[in-house]
Amino acid sequence: MFSDDVIQDMNRLAHFLAFDQTSGKGPEGEPSLMILLGNAILPTAEAAFQALAQGRISRLLIAGGIGHSTDLLYQAVQTHLRYRHIHTSGRSEAEVLNDIGVQCCAAPQKQILLETASTNCGDNALQARRVLDLAGDRSTHITLVQDPLMQLRTDASFRHVWRDRPEVTFVNWPVLVPQLERDGDGLRFAGEGHHSLWSLPRFVSLLLGEIPRLRNAPGGYGPRGAGFIAEVDIPAEIEEIYARLKPVLEADYGDRSF
């Protein structure tokens, strides 16, 4: 069992990665474009479809082909009481999520674009721009919705791909900010309906994996590293939290990928 200090550090790191720029409210003002990135945290897709059905956004692009985490989406859909009738095997993340939106969430198909070729977070941004260019969509205000633990890297990926269009602004809405709390002898995610989002090993894997990727240094994805993403400011406090967490979490879960 993790100590209270470790749980607090995990929650602070999760809050940093979620990068919510909407105070949890989602898109406001004049309806504009939203991009939903394929992921297995179904409340993110549900919130995007609700925003479209309510007219809070004018168009939704769902981006996601088949990648190393697609099976997690398949599993989430196959075990969901409302969505388990949706066919998953061999289908892109965008197609699976589109079926959920249209069949179960009253999302209007005519206002949805699909990007089905991308295989990872950086490719999401490249392929999303390709689809928008082909559709003649020159939106300058775009809301991004992603697995909350990948939200900050998604923002950096899109800023990198759109770096030649400084008039474009991205607003990040992770829908929820995951926070762990004690549940008897175990842990759960706080909030009604948020108790089955990630497995704890998957949650730990993302916490341990994102900070090294975000770094703007050799070994990271930033401009002074691999050059996959725009520069991300990682405060010293976050690096200190990560340094404390890494040996503790690896002692329980090892250097594994989930």
Side-chain angles (χ1 to χ4, degrees), residues 192-243:
E192 184 178 355
H194 295 167
H195 300 161
S196 300
L197 298 174
W198 301 261
S199 68
L200 189 56
R202 171 67 175 170
F203 185 74
V204 167
S205 176
L206 288 170
L207 285 182
L208 291 180
E210 284 301 293
I211 295 300
R213 295 184 183 100
L214 290 169
R215 288 179 180 139
N216 187 22
Y221 286 4
R224 293 198 293 270
F228 296 156
I229 63 175
E231 184 173 357
V232 174
D233 178 25
I234 305 177
E237 177 188 14
I238 295 297
E239 287 284 12
E240 291 166 4
I241 289 171
Y242 179 80

mmCIF file of all heavy atoms in Angstrom, residues 192-243:
data_model
loop_
_atom_site.group_PDB
_atom_site.id
_atom_site.type_symbol
_atom_site.label_atom_id
_atom_site.label_comp_id
_atom_site.label_asym_id
_atom_site.label_seq_id
_atom_site.Cartn_x
_atom_site.Cartn_y
_atom_site.Cartn_z
ATOM 1 N N GLU A 192 -17.707 10.230 -8.751
ATOM 2 C CA GLU A 192 -18.746 9.271 -9.122
ATOM 3 C C GLU A 192 -18.558 8.817 -10.560
ATOM 4 O O GLU A 192 -18.412 9.618 -11.482
ATOM 5 C CB GLU A 192 -20.127 9.918 -8.977
ATOM 6 C CG GLU A 192 -21.282 8.960 -9.240
ATOM 7 C CD GLU A 192 -22.636 9.622 -9.029
ATOM 8 O OE1 GLU A 192 -22.658 10.793 -8.586
ATOM 9 O OE2 GLU A 192 -23.652 8.964 -9.305
ATOM 10 N N GLY A 193 -18.565 7.503 -10.770
ATOM 11 C CA GLY A 193 -18.432 6.959 -12.114
ATOM 12 C C GLY A 193 -17.010 6.910 -12.628
ATOM 13 O O GLY A 193 -16.771 6.504 -13.758
ATOM 14 N N HIS A 194 -16.042 7.296 -11.802
ATOM 15 C CA HIS A 194 -14.660 7.335 -12.242
ATOM 16 C C HIS A 194 -13.805 6.256 -11.581
ATOM 17 O O HIS A 194 -12.606 6.395 -11.471
ATOM 18 C CB HIS A 194 -14.042 8.709 -11.950
ATOM 19 C CG HIS A 194 -14.674 9.813 -12.724
ATOM 20 N ND1 HIS A 194 -14.449 11.144 -12.426
ATOM 21 C CD2 HIS A 194 -15.513 9.803 -13.786
ATOM 22 C CE1 HIS A 194 -15.140 11.902 -13.279
ATOM 23 N NE2 HIS A 194 -15.789 11.113 -14.093
ATOM 24 N N HIS A 195 -14.433 5.198 -11.167
ATOM 25 C CA HIS A 195 -13.715 4.183 -10.414
ATOM 26 C C HIS A 195 -13.068 3.127 -11.301
ATOM 27 O O HIS A 195 -12.314 2.300 -10.819
ATOM 28 C CB HIS A 195 -14.657 3.510 -9.409
ATOM 29 C CG HIS A 195 -15.243 4.466 -8.415
ATOM 30 N ND1 HIS A 195 -16.372 4.186 -7.687
ATOM 31 C CD2 HIS A 195 -14.865 5.716 -8.039
ATOM 32 C CE1 HIS A 195 -16.666 5.220 -6.902
ATOM 33 N NE2 HIS A 195 -15.759 6.149 -7.111
ATOM 34 N N SER A 196 -13.365 3.104 -12.582
ATOM 35 C CA SER A 196 -12.822 2.085 -13.484
ATOM 36 C C SER A 196 -12.267 2.742 -14.738
ATOM 37 O O SER A 196 -12.702 2.460 -15.854
ATOM 38 C CB SER A 196 -13.907 1.063 -13.847
ATOM 39 O OG SER A 196 -14.402 0.427 -12.694
ATOM 40 N N LEU A 197 -11.314 3.607 -14.560
ATOM 41 C CA LEU A 197 -10.759 4.347 -15.689
ATOM 42 C C LEU A 197 -9.503 3.668 -16.225
ATOM 43 O O LEU A 197 -9.475 3.201 -17.351
ATOM 44 C CB LEU A 197 -10.453 5.781 -15.271
ATOM 45 C CG LEU A 197 -11.664 6.591 -14.816
ATOM 46 C CD1 LEU A 197 -11.228 7.956 -14.287
ATOM 47 C CD2 LEU A 197 -12.648 6.764 -15.967
ATOM 48 N N TRP A 198 -8.452 3.642 -15.443
ATOM 49 C CA TRP A 198 -7.226 2.925 -15.773
ATOM 50 C C TRP A 198 -7.068 1.800 -14.762
ATOM 51 O O TRP A 198 -7.489 1.930 -13.623
ATOM 52 C CB TRP A 198 -5.998 3.816 -15.645
ATOM 53 C CG TRP A 198 -5.943 5.043 -16.486
ATOM 54 C CD1 TRP A 198 -5.277 5.200 -17.672
ATOM 55 C CD2 TRP A 198 -6.512 6.327 -16.191
ATOM 56 N NE1 TRP A 198 -5.424 6.480 -18.142
ATOM 57 C CE2 TRP A 198 -6.171 7.197 -17.249
ATOM 58 C CE3 TRP A 198 -7.294 6.820 -15.148
ATOM 59 C CZ2 TRP A 198 -6.583 8.531 -17.289
ATOM 60 C CZ3 TRP A 198 -7.704 8.141 -15.186
ATOM 61 C CH2 TRP A 198 -7.345 8.980 -16.255
ATOM 62 N N SER A 199 -6.427 0.714 -15.143
ATOM 63 C CA SER A 199 -5.917 -0.189 -14.118
ATOM 64 C C SER A 199 -4.798 0.553 -13.403
ATOM 65 O O SER A 199 -4.158 1.456 -13.978
ATOM 66 C CB SER A 199 -5.387 -1.478 -14.754
ATOM 67 O OG SER A 199 -4.219 -1.200 -15.521
ATOM 68 N N LEU A 200 -4.528 0.210 -12.165
ATOM 69 C CA LEU A 200 -3.456 0.891 -11.444
ATOM 70 C C LEU A 200 -2.101 0.696 -12.136
ATOM 71 O O LEU A 200 -1.333 1.656 -12.257
ATOM 72 C CB LEU A 200 -3.404 0.428 -9.989
ATOM 73 C CG LEU A 200 -2.457 1.231 -9.079
ATOM 74 C CD1 LEU A 200 -2.795 2.719 -9.092
ATOM 75 C CD2 LEU A 200 -2.482 0.683 -7.656
ATOM 76 N N PRO A 201 -1.792 -0.516 -12.646
ATOM 77 C CA PRO A 201 -0.524 -0.645 -13.381
ATOM 78 C C PRO A 201 -0.443 0.263 -14.603
ATOM 79 O O PRO A 201 0.609 0.836 -14.886
ATOM 80 C CB PRO A 201 -0.498 -2.123 -13.780
ATOM 81 C CG PRO A 201 -1.321 -2.800 -12.744
ATOM 82 C CD PRO A 201 -2.420 -1.828 -12.434
ATOM 83 N N ARG A 202 -1.545 0.412 -15.345
ATOM 84 C CA ARG A 202 -1.539 1.296 -16.513
ATOM 85 C C ARG A 202 -1.366 2.752 -16.080
ATOM 86 O O ARG A 202 -0.621 3.509 -16.701
ATOM 87 C CB ARG A 202 -2.864 1.121 -17.280
ATOM 88 C CG ARG A 202 -3.113 2.131 -18.394
ATOM 89 C CD ARG A 202 -2.152 1.989 -19.533
ATOM 90 N NE ARG A 202 -2.495 2.897 -20.632
ATOM 91 C CZ ARG A 202 -1.720 3.114 -21.680
ATOM 92 N NH1 ARG A 202 -0.571 2.479 -21.809
ATOM 93 N NH2 ARG A 202 -2.097 3.955 -22.626
ATOM 94 N N PHE A 203 -2.037 3.141 -15.026
ATOM 95 C CA PHE A 203 -1.919 4.507 -14.492
ATOM 96 C C PHE A 203 -0.467 4.793 -14.106
ATOM 97 O O PHE A 203 0.104 5.828 -14.471
ATOM 98 C CB PHE A 203 -2.849 4.640 -13.283
ATOM 99 C CG PHE A 203 -2.942 6.025 -12.697
ATOM 100 C CD1 PHE A 203 -3.656 7.017 -13.343
ATOM 101 C CD2 PHE A 203 -2.340 6.312 -11.484
ATOM 102 C CE1 PHE A 203 -3.766 8.287 -12.801
ATOM 103 C CE2 PHE A 203 -2.443 7.586 -10.927
ATOM 104 C CZ PHE A 203 -3.156 8.572 -11.592
ATOM 105 N N VAL A 204 0.153 3.863 -13.396
ATOM 106 C CA VAL A 204 1.547 4.026 -12.978
ATOM 107 C C VAL A 204 2.463 4.093 -14.196
ATOM 108 O O VAL A 204 3.387 4.918 -14.255
ATOM 109 C CB VAL A 204 1.960 2.872 -12.046
ATOM 110 C CG1 VAL A 204 3.470 2.839 -11.851
ATOM 111 C CG2 VAL A 204 1.263 3.006 -10.692
ATOM 112 N N SER A 205 2.210 3.246 -15.189
ATOM 113 C CA SER A 205 3.034 3.235 -16.393
ATOM 114 C C SER A 205 3.026 4.586 -17.093
ATOM 115 O O SER A 205 4.075 5.085 -17.528
ATOM 116 C CB SER A 205 2.534 2.146 -17.349
ATOM 117 O OG SER A 205 3.240 2.153 -18.560
ATOM 118 N N LEU A 206 1.850 5.213 -17.188
ATOM 119 C CA LEU A 206 1.754 6.529 -17.824
ATOM 120 C C LEU A 206 2.430 7.603 -16.980
ATOM 121 O O LEU A 206 3.124 8.478 -17.515
ATOM 122 C CB LEU A 206 0.289 6.879 -18.080
ATOM 123 C CG LEU A 206 -0.390 6.094 -19.209
ATOM 124 C CD1 LEU A 206 -1.890 6.348 -19.209
ATOM 125 C CD2 LEU A 206 0.204 6.462 -20.556
ATOM 126 N N LEU A 207 2.248 7.554 -15.673
ATOM 127 C CA LEU A 207 2.906 8.535 -14.804
ATOM 128 C C LEU A 207 4.429 8.476 -14.970
ATOM 129 O O LEU A 207 5.106 9.500 -15.039
ATOM 130 C CB LEU A 207 2.545 8.295 -13.342
ATOM 131 C CG LEU A 207 1.157 8.709 -12.852
ATOM 132 C CD1 LEU A 207 1.028 8.420 -11.360
ATOM 133 C CD2 LEU A 207 0.870 10.177 -13.114
ATOM 134 N N LEU A 208 4.965 7.262 -15.033
ATOM 135 C CA LEU A 208 6.409 7.100 -15.140
ATOM 136 C C LEU A 208 6.922 7.426 -16.532
ATOM 137 O O LEU A 208 8.069 7.844 -16.697
ATOM 138 C CB LEU A 208 6.813 5.659 -14.774
ATOM 139 C CG LEU A 208 6.645 5.250 -13.315
ATOM 140 C CD1 LEU A 208 7.082 3.795 -13.128
ATOM 141 C CD2 LEU A 208 7.463 6.158 -12.407
ATOM 142 N N GLY A 209 6.084 7.242 -17.551
ATOM 143 C CA GLY A 209 6.548 7.397 -18.917
ATOM 144 C C GLY A 209 6.463 8.791 -19.483
ATOM 145 O O GLY A 209 7.248 9.159 -20.365
ATOM 146 N N GLU A 210 5.524 9.609 -19.013
ATOM 147 C CA GLU A 210 5.272 10.886 -19.671
ATOM 148 C C GLU A 210 6.351 11.936 -19.416
ATOM 149 O O GLU A 210 6.743 12.660 -20.332
ATOM 150 C CB GLU A 210 3.899 11.434 -19.256
ATOM 151 C CG GLU A 210 2.733 10.730 -19.932
ATOM 152 C CD GLU A 210 2.785 10.822 -21.439
ATOM 153 O OE1 GLU A 210 2.632 11.932 -21.986
ATOM 154 O OE2 GLU A 210 3.003 9.783 -22.087
ATOM 155 N N ILE A 211 6.834 12.064 -18.198
ATOM 156 C CA ILE A 211 7.811 13.114 -17.911
ATOM 157 C C ILE A 211 9.081 12.954 -18.755
ATOM 158 O O ILE A 211 9.550 13.938 -19.360
ATOM 159 C CB ILE A 211 8.143 13.168 -16.407
ATOM 160 C CG1 ILE A 211 6.894 13.587 -15.602
ATOM 161 C CG2 ILE A 211 9.289 14.131 -16.150
ATOM 162 C CD1 ILE A 211 6.336 14.946 -15.971
ATOM 163 N N PRO A 212 9.675 11.757 -18.864
ATOM 164 C CA PRO A 212 10.855 11.632 -19.741
ATOM 165 C C PRO A 212 10.562 12.017 -21.188
ATOM 166 O O PRO A 212 11.414 12.623 -21.856
ATOM 167 C CB PRO A 212 11.224 10.146 -19.620
ATOM 168 C CG PRO A 212 10.690 9.738 -18.281
ATOM 169 C CD PRO A 212 9.417 10.513 -18.115
ATOM 170 N N ARG A 213 9.375 11.703 -21.681
ATOM 171 C CA ARG A 213 9.031 12.065 -23.061
ATOM 172 C C ARG A 213 8.887 13.571 -23.228
ATOM 173 O O ARG A 213 9.247 14.127 -24.260
ATOM 174 C CB ARG A 213 7.733 11.378 -23.473
ATOM 175 C CG ARG A 213 7.794 9.859 -23.539
ATOM 176 C CD ARG A 213 6.483 9.283 -24.062
ATOM 177 N NE ARG A 213 6.490 7.830 -24.062
ATOM 178 C CZ ARG A 213 5.920 7.075 -23.133
ATOM 179 N NH1 ARG A 213 5.276 7.656 -22.121
ATOM 180 N NH2 ARG A 213 5.967 5.761 -23.193
ATOM 181 N N LEU A 214 8.379 14.237 -22.224
ATOM 182 C CA LEU A 214 8.115 15.673 -22.322
ATOM 183 C C LEU A 214 9.369 16.523 -22.221
ATOM 184 O O LEU A 214 9.342 17.709 -22.592
ATOM 185 C CB LEU A 214 7.134 16.097 -21.214
ATOM 186 C CG LEU A 214 5.695 15.601 -21.350
ATOM 187 C CD1 LEU A 214 4.932 15.862 -20.059
ATOM 188 C CD2 LEU A 214 5.000 16.270 -22.527
ATOM 189 N N ARG A 215 10.453 15.975 -21.774
ATOM 190 C CA ARG A 215 11.649 16.773 -21.529
ATOM 191 C C ARG A 215 12.231 17.341 -22.826
ATOM 192 O O ARG A 215 12.240 16.675 -23.862
ATOM 193 C CB ARG A 215 12.710 15.945 -20.807
ATOM 194 C CG ARG A 215 12.364 15.657 -19.360
ATOM 195 C CD ARG A 215 13.435 14.819 -18.706
ATOM 196 N NE ARG A 215 13.106 14.534 -17.306
ATOM 197 C CZ ARG A 215 13.292 13.359 -16.715
ATOM 198 N NH1 ARG A 215 13.827 12.364 -17.400
ATOM 199 N NH2 ARG A 215 12.960 13.183 -15.449
ATOM 200 N N ASN A 216 12.708 18.570 -22.731
ATOM 201 C CA ASN A 216 13.367 19.225 -23.854
ATOM 202 C C ASN A 216 14.870 19.058 -23.692
ATOM 203 O O ASN A 216 15.602 20.004 -23.378
ATOM 204 C CB ASN A 216 12.975 20.704 -23.909
ATOM 205 C CG ASN A 216 13.504 21.388 -25.154
ATOM 206 O OD1 ASN A 216 13.807 20.738 -26.154
ATOM 207 N ND2 ASN A 216 13.633 22.704 -25.099
ATOM 208 N N ALA A 217 15.324 17.816 -23.889
ATOM 209 C CA ALA A 217 16.722 17.459 -23.667
ATOM 210 C C ALA A 217 16.993 16.143 -24.385
ATOM 211 O O ALA A 217 16.043 15.444 -24.770
ATOM 212 C CB ALA A 217 17.001 17.311 -22.162
ATOM 213 N N PRO A 218 18.252 15.784 -24.591
ATOM 214 C CA PRO A 218 18.535 14.479 -25.197
ATOM 215 C C PRO A 218 17.805 13.360 -24.454
ATOM 216 O O PRO A 218 17.820 13.313 -23.224
ATOM 217 C CB PRO A 218 20.058 14.359 -25.045
ATOM 218 C CG PRO A 218 20.533 15.777 -25.073
ATOM 219 C CD PRO A 218 19.484 16.559 -24.333
ATOM 220 N N GLY A 219 17.158 12.505 -25.211
ATOM 221 C CA GLY A 219 16.344 11.450 -24.622
ATOM 222 C C GLY A 219 14.875 11.808 -24.532
ATOM 223 O O GLY A 219 14.026 10.925 -24.432
ATOM 224 N N GLY A 220 14.552 13.110 -24.548
ATOM 225 C CA GLY A 220 13.163 13.550 -24.537
ATOM 226 C C GLY A 220 12.661 13.805 -25.946
ATOM 227 O O GLY A 220 13.386 13.662 -26.927
ATOM 228 N N TYR A 221 11.406 14.209 -26.036
ATOM 229 C CA TYR A 221 10.778 14.449 -27.332
ATOM 230 C C TYR A 221 10.824 15.914 -27.765
ATOM 231 O O TYR A 221 10.395 16.248 -28.854
ATOM 232 C CB TYR A 221 9.313 14.012 -27.285
ATOM 233 C CG TYR A 221 9.075 12.517 -27.294
ATOM 234 C CD1 TYR A 221 10.126 11.606 -27.262
ATOM 235 C CD2 TYR A 221 7.770 12.011 -27.317
ATOM 236 C CE1 TYR A 221 9.884 10.235 -27.257
ATOM 237 C CE2 TYR A 221 7.530 10.642 -27.328
ATOM 238 C CZ TYR A 221 8.587 9.764 -27.286
ATOM 239 O OH TYR A 221 8.346 8.408 -27.292
ATOM 240 N N GLY A 222 11.330 16.804 -26.900
ATOM 241 C CA GLY A 222 11.331 18.232 -27.200
ATOM 242 C C GLY A 222 12.314 18.618 -28.291
ATOM 243 O O GLY A 222 13.054 17.766 -28.826
ATOM 244 N N PRO A 223 12.363 19.908 -28.642
ATOM 245 C CA PRO A 223 13.227 20.387 -29.737
ATOM 246 C C PRO A 223 14.706 20.039 -29.553
ATOM 247 O O PRO A 223 15.418 19.821 -30.541
ATOM 248 C CB PRO A 223 13.004 21.900 -29.714
ATOM 249 C CG PRO A 223 11.639 22.073 -29.125
ATOM 250 C CD PRO A 223 11.513 20.986 -28.102
ATOM 251 N N ARG A 224 15.199 19.986 -28.314
ATOM 252 C CA ARG A 224 16.602 19.643 -28.081
ATOM 253 C C ARG A 224 16.802 18.142 -27.907
ATOM 254 O O ARG A 224 17.918 17.683 -27.636
ATOM 255 C CB ARG A 224 17.137 20.403 -26.868
ATOM 256 C CG ARG A 224 17.219 21.910 -27.089
ATOM 257 C CD ARG A 224 18.133 22.580 -26.065
ATOM 258 N NE ARG A 224 17.588 22.513 -24.724
ATOM 259 C CZ ARG A 224 16.776 23.448 -24.202
ATOM 260 N NH1 ARG A 224 16.401 24.491 -24.934
ATOM 261 N NH2 ARG A 224 16.333 23.336 -22.974
ATOM 262 N N GLY A 225 15.718 17.389 -28.085
ATOM 263 C CA GLY A 225 15.794 15.932 -28.059
ATOM 264 C C GLY A 225 15.438 15.373 -29.423
ATOM 265 O O GLY A 225 16.050 15.715 -30.427
ATOM 266 N N ALA A 226 14.383 14.558 -29.467
ATOM 267 C CA ALA A 226 13.984 13.931 -30.731
ATOM 268 C C ALA A 226 13.286 14.896 -31.688
ATOM 269 O O ALA A 226 13.171 14.612 -32.872
ATOM 270 C CB ALA A 226 13.072 12.739 -30.438
ATOM 271 N N GLY A 227 12.791 16.031 -31.156
ATOM 272 C CA GLY A 227 12.124 17.003 -32.012
ATOM 273 C C GLY A 227 10.722 16.617 -32.432
ATOM 274 O O GLY A 227 10.218 17.087 -33.454
ATOM 275 N N PHE A 228 10.059 15.782 -31.620
ATOM 276 C CA PHE A 228 8.701 15.339 -31.945
ATOM 277 C C PHE A 228 7.637 16.327 -31.472
ATOM 278 O O PHE A 228 6.514 16.312 -31.987
ATOM 279 C CB PHE A 228 8.406 13.978 -31.309
ATOM 280 C CG PHE A 228 9.250 12.849 -31.821
ATOM 281 C CD1 PHE A 228 9.471 11.717 -31.039
ATOM 282 C CD2 PHE A 228 9.822 12.885 -33.084
ATOM 283 C CE1 PHE A 228 10.234 10.664 -31.492
ATOM 284 C CE2 PHE A 228 10.595 11.829 -33.559
ATOM 285 C CZ PHE A 228 10.799 10.717 -32.756
ATOM 286 N N ILE A 229 7.948 17.133 -30.452
ATOM 287 C CA ILE A 229 6.952 17.993 -29.829
ATOM 288 C C ILE A 229 7.526 19.392 -29.615
ATOM 289 O O ILE A 229 8.742 19.591 -29.664
ATOM 290 C CB ILE A 229 6.474 17.421 -28.463
ATOM 291 C CG1 ILE A 229 7.645 17.352 -27.460
ATOM 292 C CG2 ILE A 229 5.816 16.057 -28.643
ATOM 293 C CD1 ILE A 229 7.235 16.922 -26.055
ATOM 294 N N ALA A 230 6.612 20.347 -29.397
ATOM 295 C CA ALA A 230 7.037 21.692 -29.016
ATOM 296 C C ALA A 230 7.582 21.669 -27.583
ATOM 297 O O ALA A 230 7.370 20.715 -26.827
ATOM 298 C CB ALA A 230 5.856 22.653 -29.124
ATOM 299 N N GLU A 231 8.261 22.728 -27.204
ATOM 300 C CA GLU A 231 8.852 22.783 -25.870
ATOM 301 C C GLU A 231 7.775 22.797 -24.789
ATOM 302 O O GLU A 231 6.754 23.476 -24.914
ATOM 303 C CB GLU A 231 9.732 24.025 -25.733
ATOM 304 C CG GLU A 231 10.464 24.110 -24.412
ATOM 305 C CD GLU A 231 11.451 25.250 -24.351
ATOM 306 O OE1 GLU A 231 11.606 25.955 -25.366
ATOM 307 O OE2 GLU A 231 12.071 25.433 -23.289
ATOM 308 N N VAL A 232 8.003 22.038 -23.747
ATOM 309 C CA VAL A 232 7.118 21.978 -22.586
ATOM 310 C C VAL A 232 7.909 22.435 -21.362
ATOM 311 O O VAL A 232 9.031 21.970 -21.128
ATOM 312 C CB VAL A 232 6.578 20.552 -22.351
ATOM 313 C CG1 VAL A 232 5.768 20.481 -21.058
ATOM 314 C CG2 VAL A 232 5.734 20.088 -23.538
ATOM 315 N N ASP A 233 7.325 23.329 -20.601
ATOM 316 C CA ASP A 233 7.960 23.798 -19.368
ATOM 317 C C ASP A 233 7.619 22.828 -18.244
ATOM 318 O O ASP A 233 6.460 22.724 -17.841
ATOM 319 C CB ASP A 233 7.477 25.206 -19.026
ATOM 320 C CG ASP A 233 8.068 25.729 -17.721
ATOM 321 O OD1 ASP A 233 9.165 25.260 -17.342
ATOM 322 O OD2 ASP A 233 7.435 26.591 -17.075
ATOM 323 N N ILE A 234 8.606 22.112 -17.760
ATOM 324 C CA ILE A 234 8.406 21.196 -16.630
ATOM 325 C C ILE A 234 8.990 21.867 -15.393
ATOM 326 O O ILE A 234 10.214 21.980 -15.263
ATOM 327 C CB ILE A 234 9.078 19.840 -16.869
ATOM 328 C CG1 ILE A 234 8.598 19.209 -18.182
ATOM 329 C CG2 ILE A 234 8.805 18.897 -15.695
ATOM 330 C CD1 ILE A 234 9.278 17.900 -18.523
ATOM 331 N N PRO A 235 8.154 22.337 -14.478
ATOM 332 C CA PRO A 235 8.663 23.021 -13.286
ATOM 333 C C PRO A 235 9.584 22.118 -12.467
ATOM 334 O O PRO A 235 9.441 20.886 -12.460
ATOM 335 C CB PRO A 235 7.393 23.361 -12.499
ATOM 336 C CG PRO A 235 6.301 23.352 -13.517
ATOM 337 C CD PRO A 235 6.680 22.298 -14.508
ATOM 338 N N ALA A 236 10.517 22.733 -11.767
ATOM 339 C CA ALA A 236 11.445 21.975 -10.926
ATOM 340 C C ALA A 236 10.696 21.129 -9.903
ATOM 341 O O ALA A 236 11.101 19.999 -9.593
ATOM 342 C CB ALA A 236 12.404 22.934 -10.219
ATOM 343 N N GLU A 237 9.585 21.652 -9.405
ATOM 344 C CA GLU A 237 8.788 20.906 -8.418
ATOM 345 C C GLU A 237 8.280 19.590 -9.000
ATOM 346 O O GLU A 237 8.256 18.561 -8.307
ATOM 347 C CB GLU A 237 7.609 21.763 -7.956
ATOM 348 C CG GLU A 237 6.677 21.060 -6.972
ATOM 349 C CD GLU A 237 5.419 21.854 -6.695
ATOM 350 O OE1 GLU A 237 5.117 22.806 -7.443
ATOM 351 O OE2 GLU A 237 4.720 21.501 -5.724
ATOM 352 N N ILE A 238 7.868 19.610 -10.266
ATOM 353 C CA ILE A 238 7.374 18.393 -10.909
ATOM 354 C C ILE A 238 8.511 17.393 -11.106
ATOM 355 O O ILE A 238 8.344 16.183 -10.884
ATOM 356 C CB ILE A 238 6.695 18.727 -12.253
ATOM 357 C CG1 ILE A 238 5.447 19.566 -12.018
ATOM 358 C CG2 ILE A 238 6.365 17.447 -13.023
ATOM 359 C CD1 ILE A 238 4.356 18.876 -11.222
ATOM 360 N N GLU A 239 9.677 17.877 -11.507
ATOM 361 C CA GLU A 239 10.823 16.980 -11.649
ATOM 362 C C GLU A 239 11.195 16.360 -10.295
ATOM 363 O O GLU A 239 11.565 15.180 -10.218
ATOM 364 C CB GLU A 239 12.019 17.732 -12.233
ATOM 365 C CG GLU A 239 11.886 18.065 -13.707
ATOM 366 C CD GLU A 239 12.113 16.862 -14.623
ATOM 367 O OE1 GLU A 239 12.156 15.715 -14.129
ATOM 368 O OE2 GLU A 239 12.237 17.081 -15.846
ATOM 369 N N GLU A 240 11.070 17.125 -9.224
ATOM 370 C CA GLU A 240 11.365 16.595 -7.890
ATOM 371 C C GLU A 240 10.360 15.518 -7.497
ATOM 372 O O GLU A 240 10.734 14.487 -6.924
ATOM 373 C CB GLU A 240 11.362 17.730 -6.867
ATOM 374 C CG GLU A 240 12.530 18.705 -7.027
ATOM 375 C CD GLU A 240 12.336 19.991 -6.245
ATOM 376 O OE1 GLU A 240 11.316 20.096 -5.516
ATOM 377 O OE2 GLU A 240 13.182 20.889 -6.352
ATOM 378 N N ILE A 241 9.083 15.764 -7.804
ATOM 379 C CA ILE A 241 8.052 14.760 -7.522
ATOM 380 C C ILE A 241 8.329 13.486 -8.305
ATOM 381 O O ILE A 241 8.256 12.367 -7.775
ATOM 382 C CB ILE A 241 6.653 15.325 -7.865
ATOM 383 C CG1 ILE A 241 6.252 16.400 -6.858
ATOM 384 C CG2 ILE A 241 5.610 14.209 -7.913
ATOM 385 C CD1 ILE A 241 4.996 17.152 -7.229
ATOM 386 N N TYR A 242 8.660 13.646 -9.574
ATOM 387 C CA TYR A 242 8.945 12.483 -10.419
ATOM 388 C C TYR A 242 10.127 11.694 -9.864
ATOM 389 O O TYR A 242 10.094 10.455 -9.811
ATOM 390 C CB TYR A 242 9.221 12.933 -11.849
ATOM 391 C CG TYR A 242 9.550 11.793 -12.779
ATOM 392 C CD1 TYR A 242 8.529 11.002 -13.315
ATOM 393 C CD2 TYR A 242 10.867 11.496 -13.116
ATOM 394 C CE1 TYR A 242 8.828 9.934 -14.153
ATOM 395 C CE2 TYR A 242 11.162 10.438 -13.957
ATOM 396 C CZ TYR A 242 10.146 9.664 -14.470
ATOM 397 O OH TYR A 242 10.439 8.611 -15.308
ATOM 398 N N ALA A 243 11.177 12.412 -9.458
ATOM 399 C CA ALA A 243 12.364 11.745 -8.915
ATOM 400 C C ALA A 243 12.038 10.958 -7.641
ATOM 401 O O ALA A 243 12.609 9.885 -7.400
ATOM 402 C CB ALA A 243 13.456 12.774 -8.639
#
